[in-house]
Amino acid sequence: MKLATLKNDTRYGELVVVSRDLKKYISASSIVGTMREAIDHWDVHAPQLQALSDQLNDGDVAGKDFDPTQAMAPLPNPSQWADGSAYVNHVELVRKARGAELPESFWEDPLMYMGAPDAMLGAHDDVEVGSEDWGIDMEAEIGVICDDLEMGLSSEAAADKIKLLVLLNDVSYRALIPGELAKGFGFFQSKGATAFAPVAITPDELGEHWQDGKVHRDMLVHYNGDAFGKANAGVDMTFNFPKLVSHAAKTRHVAAGAIIGSGTVSNKDSDGTPGKPVKEGGLGYSCIAEIRMIETIDEGKPSTAFMKFGDQVRIEMKNDDGSSIFGAVDQKIVKFG
């Protein structure tokens, strides 16, 4: 089942069911009005939404043409947005670039920060930024939307709480991060609004490519029209989604509608070395910071610039036949004001 939220004259949009090929949609208003209402009472609404999805995909009901530019974030008002760092390869490179050792605990306990649940962008919304000096970067990630989580939830139990998957761009301001972290209190200004691909999908839509709580598909990133990354999201993922969800609920109950992110998708090359650029036959990168880290390690300083006003990023996942699974995040960096 694939779901989206279309823009209307309300803050939280209209929930719609989208066909598997992303060409048609039908309103879910006869069942439930918004994605948040649906996830708050998932056991009630999911079977009805699935039935409507089956009818749409089988051609039993006529749908309207789906326009992804009219989509909001699939869940515009999550109960919270928490982002992990499941790809320790990425974290290891960050620390190595600044000459710091990676603590052994990083391989056993996930990193996670609380983001801004009120700053969710649609796939084609511009990223408004105050200054290029902030060090503008994209981060291509997978996220999960969860049902209610009980405090102390085990990883095994957490697997059943994952109801939907989303594709996202976790916008980061790299030049602001060091100053914030130096205060010892974590990210706040360093993280911008988060953008989401047009549709959220139930895990079964991935078939065999949803295994062990991981999405085994390539994360395709294009930067200003050029191939920038194609890392496989199921490879080098140290902590799977059930582990991340369990981590989020360790010390408190978490309300339905929480989005938990994977962190930047990152792969090593087949020989175990940091990834090479796509143009050199490598798997590339899901963020600019990673190639800058590798340049720093190899050359003593980075040579790739962060994003500028007018730059475009496209993030997508595709099926074996080349069809888009979530639709694409396709957005431009623009100056605010």
Side-chain angles (χ1 to χ4, degrees):
M1 176 169 60
K2 299 190 176 186
L3 303 173
T5 296
L6 296 184
K7 299 173 182 177
N8 60 14
D9 58 0
T10 70
R11 179 172 293 182
Y12 302 125
E14 175 190 11
L15 180 65
V16 300
V17 176
V18 182
S19 61
R20 188 163 289 115
D21 60 8
L22 306 184
K23 292 181 179 180
K24 298 291 183 179
Y25 81 91
I26 188 168
S27 173
S29 59
S30 62
I31 300 169
V32 60
T34 67
M35 178 71 89
R36 181 59 185 273
E37 292 176 274
I39 203 71
D40 279 347
H41 305 282
W42 189 252
D43 289 345
V44 174
H45 297 308
Q48 297 169 292
L49 292 170
Q50 183 64 62
L52 188 58
S53 174
D54 292 342
Q55 291 176 320
L56 180 62
N57 284 305
D58 291 343
D60 295 335
V61 294
K64 298 179 181 179
D65 291 342
F66 180 63
D67 180 0
T69 67
Q70 296 305 304
M72 304 174 71
L75 179 55
N77 57 328
S79 60
Q80 71 171 269
W81 156 232
D83 200 17
S85 194
Y87 299 85
V88 179
N89 175 57
H90 174 75
V91 182
E92 189 174 32
L93 284 171
V94 173
R95 296 182 70 88
K96 186 175 180 180
R98 64 173 190 255
E101 291 294 323
L102 185 76
E104 283 299 318
S105 62
F106 279 37
W107 295 98
E108 301 164 1
D109 194 38
L111 297 173
M112 187 171 287
Y113 78 90
M114 293 181 68
D118 57 344
M120 308 280 103
L121 296 179
H124 294 265
D125 293 342
D126 291 338
V127 180
E128 296 181 313
V129 185
S131 171
E132 290 179 344
D133 294 338
W134 291 355
I136 310 162
D137 200 358
M138 85 283 271
E139 291 193 55
E141 306 183 14
I142 299 293
V144 296
I145 301 177
C146 302
D147 202 347
D148 287 307
L149 308 176
E150 294 184 355
M151 182 170 62
L153 187 74
S154 69
S155 296
E156 293 75 18
D160 292 332
K161 298 294 185 177
I162 295 170
K163 302 306 179 185
L164 294 166
L165 305 173
V166 289
L167 185 73
L168 62 103
N169 177 18
D170 176 37
V171 178
S172 296
Y173 302 130
R174 302 294 185 181
L176 302 184
I177 288 175
E180 284 207 303
L181 293 185
K183 297 176 182 178
F185 227 54
F187 300 127
F188 193 83
Q189 293 177 336
S190 307
K191 292 291 184 175
T194 305
F196 291 80
V199 302
I201 70 171
T202 48
D204 63 282
E205 288 289 335
L206 292 173
E208 64 182 8
H209 297 282
W210 172 251
Q211 290 184 20
D212 304 319
K214 303 176 183 180
V215 176
H216 294 264
R217 283 289 188 187
D218 291 345
M219 180 70 79
L220 305 175
V221 181
H222 283 78
Y223 181 32
N224 290 330
D226 295 327
F228 188 78
K230 54 178 183 178
N232 188 294
V235 175
D236 295 322
M237 188 180 191
T238 307
F239 306 107
N240 66 8
F241 279 111
K243 175 65 175 178
L244 294 176
V245 171
S246 173
H247 181 86
K250 180 177 180 177
T251 60
R252 61 182 181 272
H253 303 300
V254 178
I259 304 176
I260 311 294
S262 66
T264 307
V265 174
S266 176
N267 287 173
K268 294 182 179 180
D269 270 339
S270 57
D271 61 1
T273 60
K276 295 189 293 290
V278 172
K279 64 183 179 182
E280 296 178 12
L283 298 175
Y285 318 99
S286 298
C287 68
I288 295 172
E290 191 157 305
I291 188 172
R292 286 172 60 89
M293 296 168 209
I294 293 170
E295 290 167 348
T296 299
I297 294 167
D298 292 345
E299 304 163 19
K301 63 180 181 179
S303 55
T304 300
F306 286 119
M307 303 177 83
K308 304 294 185 183
F309 298 138
D311 283 351
Q312 193 92 14
V313 60
R314 182 180 177 92
I315 300 169
E316 194 169 18
M317 261 186 188
K318 293 185 177 181
N319 285 312
D320 292 340
D321 62 4
S323 61
S324 187
I325 298 172
F326 298 87
V329 175
D330 195 348
Q331 55 187 174
K332 184 181 292 185
I333 306 298
V334 302
K335 183 172 177 56
F336 174 72

